[in-house]
Coordinates of all heavy atoms in Angstrom, one line a residue:
M1413 N 0.9 -1.2 0.0 CA -0.1 0.0 0.0 C 0.9 1.3 0.0 O 1.9 1.4 0.7 CB -0.9 0.0 1.2 CG -2.1 -0.9 1.2 SD -3.3 -0.3 -0.1 CE -4.0 1.1 0.9
T1414 N 0.5 2.3 -0.8 CA 1.1 3.5 -0.7 C 0.1 4.6 -0.2 O -1.0 4.3 -0.2 CB 1.7 4.0 -2.1 OG1 0.6 3.9 -3.0 CG2 2.8 3.0 -2.5
A1415 N 0.7 5.7 0.2 CA -0.2 6.8 0.7 C -1.1 7.3 -0.4 O -0.6 7.5 -1.5 CB 0.6 7.9 1.3
G1416 N -2.3 7.5 -0.1 CA -3.3 8.2 -1.1 C -2.9 9.6 -1.3 O -2.1 10.2 -0.6
P1417 N -3.6 10.3 -2.2 CA -3.2 11.6 -2.6 C -3.3 12.6 -1.5 O -2.5 13.5 -1.3 CB -4.3 12.0 -3.7 CG -4.8 10.7 -4.2 CD -4.6 9.6 -3.2
G1418 N -4.3 12.5 -0.6 CA -4.4 13.5 0.5 C -3.7 13.0 1.8 O -3.8 13.7 2.8
E1419 N -2.9 12.0 1.7 CA -2.4 11.3 2.9 C -0.9 11.6 3.0 O -0.2 11.7 1.9 CB -2.6 9.8 2.7 CG -3.2 9.1 3.9 CD -3.2 7.6 3.6 OE1 -3.6 7.3 2.5 OE2 -2.9 6.9 4.5
T1420 N -0.4 11.8 4.2 CA 1.1 12.0 4.4 C 1.7 10.6 4.3 O 1.3 9.7 5.0 CB 1.4 12.6 5.7 OG1 0.8 14.0 5.7 CG2 2.9 12.8 5.9
P1421 N 2.7 10.4 3.5 CA 3.4 9.1 3.4 C 4.1 8.9 4.8 O 4.5 9.8 5.5 CB 4.4 9.3 2.4 CG 4.0 10.5 1.6 CD 3.3 11.4 2.5
S1422 N 4.4 7.6 5.1 CA 5.2 7.3 6.3 C 6.5 6.6 5.9 O 6.5 6.0 4.8 CB 4.4 6.3 7.2 OG 4.4 5.0 6.8
F1423 N 7.5 6.7 6.7 CA 8.8 6.1 6.4 C 8.7 4.6 6.1 O 9.2 4.2 5.1 CB 9.8 6.5 7.4 CG 11.2 5.9 7.1 CD1 12.0 6.7 6.2 CD2 11.8 4.9 7.6 CE1 13.3 6.2 5.8 CE2 12.9 4.4 7.2 CZ 13.8 5.1 6.4
D1424 N 8.1 3.9 7.1 CA 8.2 2.5 7.0 C 7.4 2.0 5.8 O 7.7 1.0 5.1 CB 7.6 1.9 8.3 CG 8.5 2.0 9.5 OD1 9.7 2.3 9.1 OD2 8.1 1.9 10.6
R1425 N 6.2 2.6 5.5 CA 5.4 2.1 4.4 C 5.8 2.6 3.1 O 5.6 1.9 2.1 CB 3.9 2.5 4.8 CG 2.9 1.9 3.8 CD 1.5 2.5 4.1 NE 1.5 3.9 4.0 CZ 0.5 4.6 4.2 NH1 -0.7 4.1 4.6 NH2 0.5 6.0 4.1
D1426 N 6.2 3.9 3.0 CA 6.3 4.5 1.6 C 7.7 5.0 1.2 O 7.9 5.2 0.1 CB 5.4 5.8 1.6 CG 3.9 5.4 2.0 OD1 3.3 4.6 1.3 OD2 3.5 5.9 3.0
I1427 N 8.5 5.2 2.2 CA 9.8 5.9 1.9 C 11.0 4.9 1.9 O 11.7 4.8 0.9 CB 10.1 7.0 2.9 CG1 9.0 8.0 3.0 CG2 11.5 7.6 2.6 CD1 8.8 8.7 1.6
K1428 N 11.1 4.1 2.9 CA 12.2 3.1 3.0 C 12.4 2.3 1.7 O 13.4 2.1 1.3 CB 12.0 2.3 4.2 CG 13.2 1.3 4.5 CD 12.9 0.5 5.8 CE 14.1 -0.5 5.9 NZ 13.8 -1.4 7.1
N1429 N 11.2 1.8 1.2 CA 11.3 0.9 0.0 C 11.7 1.6 -1.3 O 11.8 1.0 -2.3 CB 10.1 0.0 -0.1 CG 8.8 0.8 -0.3 OD1 8.9 2.0 -0.8 ND2 7.7 0.3 0.1
L1430 N 11.8 3.0 -1.3 CA 12.2 3.7 -2.4 C 13.8 3.6 -2.6 O 14.3 3.8 -3.7 CB 11.8 5.2 -2.3 CG 10.4 5.5 -2.3 CD1 10.2 7.0 -2.1 CD2 9.7 5.1 -3.6
F1431 N 14.5 3.2 -1.5 CA 15.9 3.1 -1.6 C 16.3 1.7 -1.8 O 15.9 0.8 -1.0 CB 16.5 3.6 -0.3 CG 16.2 5.0 0.1 CD1 15.4 5.4 1.2 CD2 16.5 6.1 -0.9 CE1 15.1 6.7 1.5 CE2 16.3 7.4 -0.5 CZ 15.5 7.8 0.6
R1432 N 17.1 1.5 -2.9 CA 17.6 0.1 -3.2 C 18.7 -0.3 -2.1 O 19.3 0.5 -1.6 CB 18.2 0.1 -4.6 CG 17.2 0.4 -5.6 CD 17.9 0.7 -7.0 NE 18.8 1.9 -6.8 CZ 19.6 2.4 -7.8 NH1 19.6 1.8 -9.0 NH2 20.4 3.5 -7.6
G1433 N 18.9 -1.6 -2.0 CA 20.0 -2.0 -1.3 C 21.4 -1.4 -1.8 O 22.2 -1.1 -0.9
S1434 N 21.5 -1.3 -3.1 CA 22.7 -0.6 -3.6 C 22.8 0.9 -3.3 O 23.9 1.4 -3.1 CB 22.7 -0.9 -5.2 OG 21.6 -0.4 -5.7
D1435 N 21.7 1.6 -3.1 CA 21.8 2.9 -2.7 C 22.2 3.0 -1.2 O 23.1 3.8 -1.0 CB 20.3 3.6 -2.7 CG 19.7 3.7 -4.1 OD1 20.4 4.0 -5.0 OD2 18.5 3.4 -4.3
R1436 N 21.6 2.1 -0.4 CA 22.0 2.1 0.9 C 23.5 1.8 1.1 O 24.2 2.6 1.7 CB 21.2 1.0 1.6 CG 21.6 0.8 3.1 CD 20.8 -0.2 3.7 NE 21.0 -0.2 5.2 CZ 21.5 -1.3 5.9 NH1 21.8 -2.4 5.2 NH2 21.8 -1.1 7.1
E1437 N 24.0 0.8 0.4 CA 25.4 0.5 0.5 C 26.4 1.6 0.1 O 27.4 2.0 0.6 CB 25.7 -0.8 -0.2 CG 25.4 -2.0 0.6 CD 25.4 -3.3 -0.2 OE1 26.2 -3.4 -1.1 OE2 24.6 -4.2 0.2
A1438 N 25.9 2.3 -1.1 CA 26.8 3.3 -1.6 C 26.9 4.5 -0.7 O 27.9 5.2 -0.6 CB 26.2 3.8 -3.0
M1439 N 25.8 4.7 0.1 CA 25.8 5.9 1.0 C 26.1 5.7 2.5 O 26.1 6.6 3.2 CB 24.4 6.6 0.9 CG 24.1 7.1 -0.5 SD 25.3 8.2 -1.2 CE 25.6 9.4 0.1
L1440 N 26.4 4.4 2.8 CA 26.6 4.1 4.3 C 27.7 5.0 4.9 O 27.6 5.1 6.1 CB 26.9 2.6 4.5 CG 25.7 1.7 4.6 CD1 26.1 0.2 4.8 CD2 24.9 2.2 5.8
G1441 N 28.7 5.4 4.2 CA 29.7 6.3 4.8 C 29.2 7.6 5.3 O 29.7 8.2 6.2
A1442 N 28.0 8.0 4.6 CA 27.4 9.3 5.1 C 26.2 9.1 6.0 O 26.0 9.8 7.0 CB 27.0 10.1 3.9
F1443 N 25.3 8.2 5.7 CA 24.1 8.0 6.4 C 23.5 6.6 5.9 O 23.9 6.1 4.8 CB 23.1 9.0 6.3 CG 23.0 9.7 4.9 CD1 22.4 8.9 3.8 CD2 23.4 10.9 4.6 CE1 22.4 9.4 2.6 CE2 23.4 11.5 3.4 CZ 22.8 10.7 2.3
D1444 N 22.6 6.0 6.7 CA 21.9 4.8 6.3 C 20.5 5.1 5.8 O 19.7 5.6 6.5 CB 21.8 3.9 7.6 CG 21.2 2.5 7.4 OD1 20.7 2.3 6.2 OD2 21.2 1.7 8.3
L1445 N 20.3 4.8 4.5 CA 19.0 5.2 3.9 C 17.9 4.3 4.4 O 16.8 4.6 3.9 CB 19.3 5.1 2.4 CG 19.9 6.3 1.8 CD1 20.3 6.0 0.2 CD2 19.2 7.6 1.9
W1446 N 18.2 3.2 5.0 CA 17.1 2.4 5.5 C 16.9 2.7 7.1 O 16.1 2.0 7.7 CB 17.4 0.9 5.4 CG 17.3 0.4 3.9 CD1 16.9 1.2 2.8 CD2 17.6 -0.9 3.4 NE1 17.0 0.4 1.7 CE2 17.4 -0.9 2.0 CE3 18.0 -2.0 4.0 CZ2 17.6 -2.0 1.2 CZ3 18.2 -3.2 3.2 CH2 18.0 -3.1 1.8
S1447 N 17.5 3.8 7.6 CA 17.3 4.1 9.0 C 16.4 5.3 9.0 O 16.7 6.4 8.5 CB 18.6 4.4 9.6 OG 18.5 5.4 10.7
Y1448 N 15.3 5.3 9.8 CA 14.5 6.4 10.0 C 15.2 7.6 10.5 O 15.1 8.8 10.1 CB 13.2 6.1 10.9 CG 12.4 7.3 11.2 CD1 11.5 7.9 10.3 CD2 12.7 8.0 12.3 CE1 10.8 9.0 10.6 CE2 12.0 9.2 12.7 CZ 11.0 9.7 11.8 OH 10.4 10.8 12.1
D1449 N 16.0 7.3 11.5 CA 16.7 8.5 12.2 C 17.7 9.2 11.2 O 17.7 10.4 11.3 CB 17.5 7.9 13.4 CG 16.6 7.5 14.6 OD1 15.4 7.9 14.5 OD2 17.0 6.7 15.5
D1450 N 18.4 8.4 10.5 CA 19.4 9.0 9.5 C 18.6 9.7 8.4 O 19.1 10.9 8.1 CB 20.3 7.9 8.9 CG 21.4 7.5 9.8 OD1 21.4 7.8 11.0 OD2 22.3 6.9 9.3
V1451 N 17.6 9.1 7.8 CA 17.0 9.8 6.7 C 16.3 11.1 7.1 O 16.3 12.2 6.5 CB 16.1 8.8 5.9 CG1 15.3 9.6 4.9 CG2 16.8 7.7 5.3
S1452 N 15.7 11.0 8.3 CA 15.0 12.2 8.8 C 16.0 13.3 9.1 O 15.7 14.5 8.8 CB 14.1 11.9 10.0 OG 14.7 11.2 11.0
K1453 N 17.1 12.9 9.7 CA 18.1 14.0 10.1 C 18.8 14.6 8.8 O 19.1 15.7 8.8 CB 19.2 13.2 10.9 CG 20.3 14.1 11.4 CD 21.2 13.3 12.4 CE 22.5 14.0 12.6 NZ 23.6 13.2 13.0
H1454 N 18.9 13.8 7.7 CA 19.6 14.3 6.5 C 18.6 14.5 5.4 O 18.9 14.6 4.3 CB 20.6 13.3 6.1 CG 21.7 13.0 7.0 ND1 22.8 13.9 7.2 CD2 21.9 12.1 7.9 CE1 23.6 13.5 8.2 NE2 23.1 12.4 8.6
A1455 N 17.3 14.8 5.8 CA 16.3 14.8 4.8 C 16.4 16.0 3.8 O 16.2 15.9 2.6 CB 14.9 15.0 5.4
A1456 N 16.9 17.2 4.3 CA 17.1 18.4 3.5 C 18.1 18.1 2.3 O 17.7 18.3 1.1 CB 17.4 19.6 4.2
P1457 N 19.3 17.7 2.6 CA 20.2 17.4 1.5 C 19.8 16.2 0.7 O 20.0 16.3 -0.6 CB 21.6 17.1 2.1 CG 21.3 16.9 3.6 CD 20.0 17.7 3.9
I1458 N 19.1 15.2 1.2 CA 18.6 14.2 0.4 C 17.6 14.7 -0.5 O 17.7 14.4 -1.8 CB 18.1 13.0 1.3 CG1 19.2 12.3 2.1 CG2 17.3 12.0 0.5 CD1 18.7 11.4 3.2
L1459 N 16.6 15.4 -0.1 CA 15.6 16.0 -1.1 C 16.2 16.8 -2.1 O 15.8 16.7 -3.3 CB 14.6 16.7 -0.2 CG 13.4 17.3 -1.0 CD1 12.7 16.4 -1.8 CD2 12.5 18.2 -0.2
E1460 N 17.2 17.6 -1.7 CA 17.9 18.5 -2.7 C 18.5 17.7 -3.8 O 18.4 17.9 -5.0 CB 18.9 19.3 -2.0 CG 19.4 20.5 -2.7 CD 20.4 21.3 -1.9 OE1 20.1 21.7 -0.7 OE2 21.5 21.5 -2.4
R1461 N 19.3 16.6 -3.5 CA 19.9 15.7 -4.5 C 18.9 15.0 -5.3 O 19.1 14.7 -6.5 CB 20.9 14.8 -3.8 CG 22.0 15.5 -3.0 CD 22.9 16.4 -3.9 NE 23.7 15.5 -4.7 CZ 25.0 15.3 -4.6 NH1 25.8 15.9 -3.6 NH2 25.6 14.5 -5.5
L1462 N 17.8 14.5 -4.7 CA 16.7 13.9 -5.5 C 16.1 14.9 -6.5 O 15.9 14.5 -7.6 CB 15.7 13.3 -4.6 CG 16.1 12.1 -3.7 CD1 14.9 11.8 -2.7 CD2 16.5 10.9 -4.4
Q1463 N 15.9 16.1 -6.0 CA 15.2 17.0 -6.9 C 16.1 17.6 -8.0 O 15.7 17.8 -9.1 CB 14.7 18.2 -6.0 CG 13.5 17.8 -5.3 CD 12.9 18.9 -4.4 OE1 13.8 19.8 -3.9 NE2 11.6 19.0 -4.1
D1464 N 17.4 17.7 -7.7 CA 18.3 18.2 -8.8 C 18.8 17.0 -9.7 O 19.5 17.2 -10.7 CB 19.4 19.0 -8.3 CG 20.5 18.3 -7.5 OD1 20.5 17.0 -7.5 OD2 21.4 18.9 -6.8
G1465 N 18.4 15.8 -9.3 CA 18.6 14.6 -10.2 C 20.1 14.1 -10.1 O 20.4 13.2 -10.9
T1466 N 20.9 14.5 -9.1 CA 22.2 14.1 -9.1 C 22.4 12.9 -8.1 O 23.4 12.3 -8.1 CB 23.2 15.3 -8.5 OG1 22.7 15.6 -7.2 CG2 23.2 16.4 -9.5
M1467 N 21.3 12.4 -7.5 CA 21.4 11.2 -6.7 C 20.0 10.5 -7.0 O 19.0 11.1 -7.0 CB 21.5 11.4 -5.2 CG 22.9 11.7 -4.8 SD 24.0 10.3 -5.0 CE 25.5 11.2 -5.4
P1468 N 19.9 9.2 -7.2 CA 21.1 8.3 -7.2 C 22.1 8.5 -8.2 O 21.7 9.1 -9.3 CB 20.5 6.8 -7.3 CG 19.0 7.0 -7.2 CD 18.7 8.4 -7.4
C1469 N 23.4 8.1 -8.1 CA 24.5 8.4 -9.1 C 24.2 7.8 -10.5 O 24.7 8.3 -11.4 CB 25.8 7.9 -8.5 SG 25.8 6.1 -8.4
D1470 N 23.3 6.8 -10.5 CA 23.1 6.1 -11.8 C 21.8 6.4 -12.5 O 21.3 5.6 -13.3 CB 23.2 4.6 -11.5 CG 22.3 4.0 -10.5 OD1 21.7 4.8 -9.7 OD2 22.0 2.8 -10.5
G1471 N 21.2 7.6 -12.1 CA 19.9 8.0 -12.7 C 18.9 8.5 -11.8 O 18.7 8.0 -10.7
A1472 N 18.4 9.6 -12.2 CA 17.4 10.3 -11.3 C 16.1 9.5 -11.1 O 15.8 8.6 -12.0 CB 17.0 11.7 -12.0
W1473 N 15.5 9.7 -9.9 CA 14.2 9.0 -9.7 C 13.1 9.6 -10.7 O 13.2 10.8 -11.0 CB 13.8 9.4 -8.3 CG 14.3 8.5 -7.2 CD1 15.3 7.5 -7.3 CD2 14.0 8.5 -5.8 NE1 15.5 6.9 -6.1 CE2 14.7 7.5 -5.2 CE3 13.1 9.3 -5.0 CZ2 14.7 7.3 -3.8 CZ3 13.0 9.1 -3.7 CH2 13.8 8.1 -3.1
P1474 N 12.1 8.8 -10.9 CA 10.9 9.4 -11.6 C 10.3 10.5 -10.7 O 10.3 10.3 -9.5 CB 9.9 8.2 -11.7 CG 10.6 7.0 -11.0 CD 11.9 7.4 -10.5
P1475 N 9.8 11.5 -11.3 CA 9.2 12.6 -10.6 C 8.2 12.2 -9.5 O 8.1 12.8 -8.4 CB 8.6 13.5 -11.7 CG 9.4 13.2 -12.9 CD 9.8 11.7 -12.7
A1476 N 7.4 11.2 -9.8 CA 6.4 10.8 -8.8 C 7.0 10.3 -7.5 O 6.5 10.6 -6.4 CB 5.6 9.7 -9.4
N1477 N 8.2 9.7 -7.6 CA 8.8 9.2 -6.4 C 9.5 10.3 -5.6 O 9.4 10.4 -4.4 CB 9.9 8.1 -6.7 CG 9.3 6.8 -7.1 OD1 8.1 6.7 -7.1 ND2 10.2 5.9 -7.3
V1478 N 10.0 11.3 -6.3 CA 10.6 12.5 -5.7 C 9.4 13.3 -5.0 O 9.6 13.8 -3.8 CB 11.3 13.4 -6.7 CG1 11.8 14.7 -6.0 CG2 12.4 12.8 -7.5
A1479 N 8.3 13.3 -5.6 CA 7.1 13.9 -5.0 C 6.7 13.3 -3.7 O 6.3 13.9 -2.8 CB 6.0 14.0 -6.1
I1480 N 6.8 11.9 -3.7 CA 6.4 11.2 -2.4 C 7.4 11.6 -1.3 O 6.9 11.9 -0.2 CB 6.4 9.7 -2.6 CG1 5.2 9.3 -3.5 CG2 6.3 8.9 -1.3 CD1 5.3 7.8 -4.0
F1481 N 8.6 11.6 -1.6 CA 9.6 12.0 -0.6 C 9.4 13.4 -0.2 O 9.4 13.7 1.1 CB 11.0 11.8 -1.1 CG 12.1 11.9 -0.1 CD1 12.5 10.8 0.6 CD2 12.7 13.1 0.3 CE1 13.5 10.8 1.7 CE2 13.7 13.3 1.2 CZ 14.0 12.1 2.0
A1482 N 9.2 14.3 -1.1 CA 8.9 15.8 -0.7 C 7.6 15.9 0.2 O 7.7 16.7 1.1 CB 8.7 16.6 -2.0
R1483 N 6.6 15.1 -0.2 CA 5.4 15.1 0.7 C 5.7 14.6 2.1 O 5.1 15.1 3.1 CB 4.3 14.3 0.0 CG 3.3 15.1 -0.7 CD 2.0 14.5 -1.0 NE 2.1 13.2 -1.8 CZ 1.4 12.2 -1.4 NH1 0.6 12.2 -0.4 NH2 1.4 11.1 -2.1
W1484 N 6.5 13.6 2.2 CA 6.8 13.0 3.5 C 7.6 14.1 4.3 O 7.3 14.3 5.5 CB 7.7 11.9 3.3 CG 8.3 11.2 4.6 CD1 7.5 10.5 5.5 CD2 9.6 11.2 5.0 NE1 8.3 10.1 6.6 CE2 9.6 10.5 6.3 CE3 10.8 11.7 4.5 CZ2 10.8 10.3 7.0 CZ3 12.0 11.5 5.3 CH2 12.0 10.8 6.5
V1485 N 8.5 14.9 3.7 CA 9.2 15.9 4.4 C 8.3 17.0 4.9 O 8.3 17.5 6.0 CB 10.3 16.5 3.6 CG1 11.0 17.7 4.2 CG2 11.4 15.4 3.2
A1486 N 7.4 17.4 3.9 CA 6.5 18.6 4.2 C 5.5 18.1 5.2 O 5.0 19.0 6.0 CB 5.7 18.9 2.9
G1487 N 5.2 16.9 5.3 CA 4.2 16.4 6.3 C 4.8 16.1 7.7 O 4.1 15.5 8.6
G1488 N 6.1 16.4 7.9 CA 6.6 16.3 9.2 C 7.3 14.9 9.5 O 7.7 14.6 10.6
M1489 N 7.6 14.2 8.4 CA 8.4 12.9 8.4 C 7.9 11.9 9.4 O 8.6 11.4 10.3 CB 9.9 13.3 8.7 CG 10.5 14.2 7.6 SD 12.2 14.5 7.7 CE 12.2 15.8 9.0
P1490 N 6.6 11.5 9.3 CA 6.2 10.4 10.2 C 6.9 9.1 10.0 O 7.3 8.8 8.9 CB 4.7 10.3 9.9 CG 4.5 10.9 8.6 CD 5.5 12.0 8.4
R1491 N 7.2 8.4 11.1 CA 7.8 7.1 11.0 C 6.9 6.1 10.3 O 7.4 5.2 9.6 CB 8.1 6.7 12.4 CG 9.1 5.5 12.4 CD 9.4 5.0 13.9 NE 10.2 5.9 14.5 CZ 11.5 5.8 14.7 NH1 12.1 4.9 14.0 NH2 12.2 6.7 15.4
Ligands
HEM122 C1 18.3 7.5 -3.7 C2 19.5 7.1 -3.4 C3 20.6 8.1 -3.0 C4 20.5 9.3 -2.3 C5 19.2 9.8 -1.6 C6 21.8 9.8 -2.1 C7 22.0 11.0 -1.5 C8 23.3 11.6 -1.4 C9 23.5 12.9 -0.7 C10 22.5 13.7 0.1 C11 24.8 13.1 -0.8 C12 25.7 14.3 -0.2 C13 26.2 13.8 1.1 C14 27.0 14.8 1.8 O1 27.4 15.8 1.2 O2 27.2 14.6 3.0 C15 25.4 12.1 -1.7 C16 26.7 12.0 -2.0 C17 27.3 11.0 -2.7 N1 26.6 9.9 -3.2 FE1 24.6 9.4 -3.0 N2 22.7 9.1 -2.7 C18 22.0 8.0 -3.3 C19 22.5 6.9 -4.1 C20 23.8 6.8 -4.5 C21 24.4 5.9 -5.4 C22 23.7 4.7 -6.0 C23 25.7 6.1 -5.6 C24 26.8 5.5 -6.4 C25 26.9 4.2 -6.4 C26 26.0 7.3 -4.8 C27 27.2 7.9 -4.6 C28 27.5 9.1 -4.0 C29 28.8 9.7 -3.9 C30 30.1 9.2 -4.6 C31 28.7 10.9 -3.2 C32 29.7 12.0 -2.8 C33 30.0 12.9 -4.0 C34 28.9 13.8 -4.2 O3 28.4 14.5 -3.3 O4 28.4 13.8 -5.4 N3 24.8 7.7 -4.2 N4 24.4 11.2 -1.9

């Protein structure tokens, strides 16, 4: 299940699974993309890199996925 249009996405249900195992491994030196605490703490730079298309390094996310992440941030980053 994903969050409906009027609903705030949650980390466990909607955000964590957007990050591949290979994303997590590539970024472990900076933060753990499968950790709620790390992703919420680094949400601003993560969102910036998703929006400017420079992360992931092997190709930008589809705009719909970037929008889900942006909605999660705007909604207060529920776990
Ligand atoms: C959705 C997945 C990813 C997100 C959200 C992400 C996010 C970020 C962020 C926010 C930074 C800046 C970190 C800082 O300055 O402390 C960064 C840097 C970096 N990431 Fe990722 N990353 C992702 C996937 C990947 C992948 C798949 C690779 C390559 C295998 C990669 C390689 C790098 C490298 C080499 C840097 C340092 C150089 C730079 O800032 O461009 N990342 N990433």
Side-chain angles (χ1 to χ4, degrees):
M1413 280 293 284
T1414 54
E1419 232 183 314
T1420 296
S1422 80
F1423 184 78
D1424 288 343
R1425 187 186 56 183
D1426 308 298
I1427 301 300
K1428 184 177 175 183
N1429 60 26
L1430 296 175
F1431 301 118
R1432 303 164 296 181
S1434 53
D1435 294 321
R1436 177 177 187 243
E1437 277 169 31
M1439 295 311 305
L1440 270 178
F1443 39 69
D1444 182 352
L1445 286 169
W1446 288 356
S1447 153
Y1448 172 81
D1449 288 343
D1450 277 13
V1451 174
S1452 50
K1453 184 171 164 205
H1454 298 277
I1458 289 171
L1459 179 59
E1460 198 177 304
R1461 301 294 294 251
L1462 293 173
Q1463 285 177 330
D1464 72 14
T1466 58
M1467 285 291 146
C1469 68
D1470 58 344
W1473 276 6
N1477 288 1
V1478 180
I1480 291 171
F1481 191 89
R1483 257 198 308 133
W1484 176 68
V1485 173
M1489 301 186 278
R1491 191 181 289 267

